[in-house]
Amino acid sequence: QSVLTQPPSVSAAPGQNVTISCSGSSSIIGNNFVSWYQQLPGTAPKLLIYDNNRRPSGIPDRFSGSKSGTSATLGITGLQTGDEAVYYCGTWYSSLNAGGVFGGGTKLTVL
Amino acid sequence: QVTLKESGPALVKPTQTLTLTCTFSGFSLSTHGMRVSWIRQPPGTALEWLAHIDWDDDKFYSTSLKTRLTISKDTSKNQVVLTMTNMDPVDTATYYCARIPVIVDAFDYWGQGALVTVSS
C-alpha cells in the first residue's frame, strides 16, 4: 500500500475536465513539494507538474496542479483521447535526502 | 538534449546480484545540485523509489531495500550504477533511472526503462 493515496481510476468524456487527488501525511505532502507524472501505456513516466503547480517547458496549460495541507490535486481540462494514461503523484519523505515516495497511480480513461 | 538509458541483464536467477548501468548525456553529474535516481515498477503496479546519488557523491537508499542496494557514479563516463544483491522473483520489474536537478526537485527526465525478470 502506497504512502500517498490516489483513487485507482477516474473517467470522463473528451472535452470534459477531471481532477485526480493525492493525499498523504503532514510530514510528507505537508512539508514537501508535490510532482505529477503521466505514464502512457508501455512508456516511461513523464513529468507534468513540479513544485506543486509548475509546468515544465512543453507541458500544455490544460494540466495544472495545486496543493492544500496534506492533499494535492492534478487537474486536466479539455480531455483528449491521448490523455488516457496512468497518473502518479510523487514527493519526498520529510526531505529529498530521505528518499522519494509515489502514489499508487490513477488510471484515467477517456470515454 | 538530456537523455538517460538503462542497461543490464534482462534475466537473472534468484540469489544472484543485479547490476544496472544508467548512461546519460546532456548534463553532468558533477554540476552542483544534480542527482540521478533509480526507480522500479513491477508489472502492472506502481512506481517505487530505490536510491539516488548526488553530485557530491552523497547516496540515499530506500529504507526497505537499503541492505541490498549500492549506488555509485562514474562522472567521467556519465554513468550511474546500481547493484542489488540477493535477487528474488518479487524484484521482477522495469528499472528506470531519472534525473533530479535541485531547481526542479522532481524527476524531470527518465530513461526508457529496463525490464529485469528474476527466474530460475
Side-chain angles (χ1 to χ4, degrees):
Chain A
Q1 189 165 351
S2 300
V3 173
L4 301 179
T5 301
Q6 298 181 237
S9 63
V10 296
S11 61
Q16 291 190 328
N17 304 334
V18 70
T19 60
I20 297 173
S21 62
C22 172
S23 63
S25 69
S26 58
S27 64
I28 298 179
I29 286 189
N31 290 338
N32 291 291
F33 287 120
V34 174
S35 51
W36 289 91
Y37 305 86
Q38 177 194 59
Q39 188 172 32
L40 297 168
T43 69
K46 174 184 177 182
L47 179 64
L48 287 180
I49 298 289
Y50 68 98
D51 286 0
N52 301 331
N53 55 20
R54 299 173 69 97
R55 281 176 285 106
S57 174
I59 301 300
D61 59 6
R62 300 188 300 107
F63 295 92
S64 64
S66 64
K67 191 186 95 167
S68 178
T70 59
S71 292
T73 302
L74 173 70
I76 311 173
T77 60
L79 274 174
Q80 302 174 359
T81 55
D83 296 332
E84 191 159 290
V86 179
Y87 292 82
Y88 293 94
C89 59
T91 187
W92 307 101
Y93 279 111
S94 70
S95 71
L96 187 149
N97 291 343
V101 60
F102 294 98
T106 298
K107 167 66 175 172
L108 168 63
T109 300
V110 182
L111 302 169
Chain B
Q1 181 187 2
V2 173
T3 65
L4 302 97
K5 187 173 184 178
E6 306 86 353
S7 59
L11 179 66
V12 297
K13 290 181 166 47
T15 74
Q16 286 186 334
T17 294
L18 170 68
T19 299
L20 291 170
T21 300
C22 174
T23 303
F24 56 86
S25 63
F27 68 98
S28 173
L29 195 43
S30 60
T31 299
H32 180 90
M34 195 62 69
R35 298 175 165 95
V36 170
S37 191
W38 284 95
I39 298 142
R40 71 178 179 180
Q41 184 173 35
T45 65
L47 303 166
E48 179 184 15
W49 176 82
L50 298 177
H52 68 238
I53 188 165
D54 290 358
W55 76 101
D56 60 359
D57 212 35
D58 276 346
K59 300 157 189 174
F60 304 91
Y61 297 99
S62 163
T63 302
S64 61
L65 293 168
K66 185 173 185 175
T67 60
R68 300 173 54 205
L69 296 174
T70 303
I71 192 169
S72 62
K73 65 182 174 72
D74 186 330
T75 304
S76 65
K77 292 183 179 179
N78 282 349
Q79 291 181 334
V80 171
V81 175
L82 181 77
T83 62
M84 180 180 290
T85 61
N86 194 24
M87 293 292 285
D88 183 272
V90 300
D91 296 314
T92 294
T94 297
Y95 288 75
Y96 296 99
C97 60
R99 186 184 84 154
I100 314 166
V102 67
I103 60 172
V104 171
D105 202 21
F107 307 98
D108 69 342
Y109 284 91
W110 296 63
Q112 64 189 25
L115 175 60
V116 178
T117 300
V118 184
S119 174
S120 55

